[in-house]
């Protein structure tokens, strides 16, 4: 099914009017990544220009592609909000796969690079399915310590607010005065999604920290990531056991294993980690 989803999106949108790039990003861009019970296929779509009418037509086309793949035992659907949206299966099934459409015009993506320097830098490393690579189309400045702490998206402050509000903070395109504009959409998370989010946040913040201070981007396994982070900030070594547990949590939950900590305990530990890292990062030169 994984190959069918990727090929259906690529072939179904080949030569689509105004579409200059399709890039599959995230974990499922790795051909060795196997399907889990719940899956999120992140596709970037870059249009030269994007108007309300052609955006609506594009939504209809991709929704139709998803529906053509849908099976009783494997639900497939399309999601058009940009952000850390957690797949919530529309109906009970053995497997659920969300085609996560990250849709931008060239101008809107350029603005999003400023808003979200870490995730867009990550996306820039993936090869295109259609069109030029993102690096050939856009410039990606290197994130700074201030970005790590306070960028509008995917920073420490961003994640702290998301945890506090128990929401996934997404961006969606809406029509305003005949144009498409981006607006923030706060999506409530259930307990399972919040628990998984704690694992994701820790992973992303450690990765972003390494990007800022070591000036490298690469894929790390979870053990390597933690070891590299602790080299930069040995002040957290006495918390290694709980950091390992939080980092492993998402995988355990998706296997049906329970969390060792309650949700309240996890939130407290993660908040303390983020506050401490903010203080240490401000005092450490990049």
């Amino acid at each position: 099914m994984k190959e069918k989803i990727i090929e259906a999106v690529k072939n179904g949108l080949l030569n689509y009017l105004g579409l200059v790039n399709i890039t599959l990003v995230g974990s499922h861009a790795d051909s060795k990544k196997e399907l889990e019970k719940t899956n999120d296929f992140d596709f970037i779509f870059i249009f030269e220009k994007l108007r309300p009418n052609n955006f609506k037509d594009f939504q209809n086309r991709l929704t139709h592609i998803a529906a053509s793949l849908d099976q009783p035992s494997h639900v497939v659907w399309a999601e058009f909000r940009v952000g850390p949206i957690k797949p919530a299966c529309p109906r009970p099934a053995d497997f659920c796969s969300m085609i996560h459409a990250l849709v931008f015009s060239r101008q809107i993506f350029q603005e999003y690079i400023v808003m979200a320097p870490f995730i867009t830098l990550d996306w820039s490393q993936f090869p295109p399915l259609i069109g030029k690579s993102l690096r050939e189309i856009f410039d990606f400045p290197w994130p700074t310590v201030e970005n790590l702490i306070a960028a509008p998206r995917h920073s420490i402050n961003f994640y702290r607010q998301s945890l506090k509000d128990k929401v996934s903070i997404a961006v969606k395109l809406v029509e305003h005065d005949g144009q498409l504009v981006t607006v923030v959409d706060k999506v409530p998370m259930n307990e399972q999604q919040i628990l998984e989010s704690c694992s994701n946040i820790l992973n992303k913040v450690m990765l972003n920290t390494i990007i800022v201070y070591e000036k490298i981007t690469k894929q790390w396994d979870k053990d390597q990531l933690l070891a590299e982070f602790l080299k930069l900030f040995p002040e957290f070594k006495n918390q290694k056991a709980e950091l390992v547990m939080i980092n492993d949590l998402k995988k355990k939950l998706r296997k049906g294993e329970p969390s060792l900590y309650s949700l309240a305990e996890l939130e407290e530990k993660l908040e303390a980690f983020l506050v401490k890292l903010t203080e240490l990062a401000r005092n450490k030169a990049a």
Side-chain angles (χ1 to χ4, degrees):
M1 177 60 83
K2 174 174 176 173
E3 292 76 17
K4 285 183 179 179
I5 291 173
I6 296 170
E7 286 303 308
V9 171
K10 179 180 177 180
N11 295 332
L13 294 167
L14 191 65
N15 299 322
Y16 191 86
L17 184 64
L19 187 60
V20 297
N21 172 278
I22 300 178
T23 302
L24 176 62
V25 301
S27 60
H28 279 298
D30 182 352
S31 60
K32 297 177 182 177
K33 166 78 172 177
E34 296 182 356
L35 283 176
E36 300 176 332
K37 178 174 175 57
T38 304
N39 304 277
D40 182 0
F41 288 83
D42 294 317
F43 290 92
I44 293 174
F45 301 94
I46 306 290
F47 285 83
E48 187 63 46
K49 293 183 179 180
L50 201 54
R51 303 289 185 188
N53 285 345
N54 65 321
F55 179 53
K56 185 173 181 58
D57 180 77
F58 174 80
Q59 287 179 303
N60 291 337
R61 176 76 70 89
L62 192 60
T63 298
H64 177 76
I65 291 170
S68 72
L69 295 162
D70 192 47
Q71 300 175 1
S73 62
H74 194 143
V75 181
V76 182
W77 75 101
E79 167 63 60
F80 294 91
R81 289 169 293 186
V82 177
I85 304 295
K86 304 302 174 187
C89 206
R91 68 172 191 270
D94 295 333
F95 295 94
C96 298
S97 291
M98 181 175 75
I99 298 176
H100 195 179
L102 311 170
V103 186
F104 302 89
S105 67
R106 186 189 288 264
Q107 178 183 342
I108 291 174
F109 191 84
Q110 190 66 61
E111 294 167 357
Y112 200 69
I113 290 173
V114 177
M115 289 180 61
F118 291 101
I119 193 67
T120 50
L121 180 65
D122 177 61
W123 292 344
S124 74
Q125 300 176 83
F126 291 90
L129 294 175
I130 292 176
K132 293 181 178 180
S133 72
L134 293 173
R135 284 185 182 272
E136 291 178 285
I137 303 173
F138 302 100
D139 293 323
F140 295 87
W142 205 267
T144 65
V145 174
E146 190 57 31
N147 292 147
L148 173 67
I149 297 168
R153 298 190 61 76
H154 310 291
S155 64
I156 292 173
N157 289 352
F158 170 87
Y159 288 127
R160 289 180 67 193
Q161 191 63 48
S162 176
L163 273 177
K164 179 181 178 181
D165 295 342
K166 294 180 171 52
V167 295
S168 178
I169 304 174
V171 172
K172 64 181 180 181
L173 292 172
V174 298
E175 183 177 355
H176 179 71
D177 291 337
Q179 301 291 324
L180 287 172
V181 297
T182 56
V183 297
V184 172
D185 186 24
K186 294 187 176 182
V187 185
M189 293 190 289
N190 60 34
E191 183 168 329
Q192 171 84 7
Q193 291 169 332
I194 297 170
L195 288 168
E196 287 194 15
S197 182
C198 289
S199 184
N200 285 335
I201 288 171
L202 177 65
N203 184 284
K204 293 295 186 185
V205 168
M206 289 194 298
L207 179 60
N208 291 351
T209 302
I210 292 169
I211 288 171
V212 168
Y213 287 99
E214 297 194 353
K215 301 291 192 295
I216 56 172
T217 58
K218 61 176 286 187
Q219 299 297 314
W220 308 82
D221 67 36
K222 63 181 186 301
D223 295 327
Q224 291 174 328
L225 179 67
L226 180 57
E228 199 68 22
F229 174 80
L230 291 176
K231 285 181 187 178
L232 287 169
F233 289 96
E235 296 89 343
F236 289 102
K237 283 186 176 179
N238 63 343
Q239 298 169 246
K240 181 177 179 179
E242 66 183 42
L243 293 178
V244 168
M245 190 285 301
I246 298 172
N247 209 22
D248 287 344
L249 182 58
K250 178 179 176 180
K251 186 175 181 180
K252 289 180 179 294
L253 289 170
R254 293 200 172 182
K255 287 182 176 179
E257 300 176 19
S259 170
L260 296 179
Y261 293 132
S262 70
L263 178 56
E265 289 173 321
L266 267 176
E267 291 174 328
E268 182 180 351
K269 290 179 182 296
L270 190 54
E271 170 68 7
F273 167 81
L274 295 173
V275 170
K276 182 177 178 179
L277 179 58
T278 298
E279 181 181 352
L280 292 170
R282 289 201 186 279
N283 294 328
K284 182 182 179 73

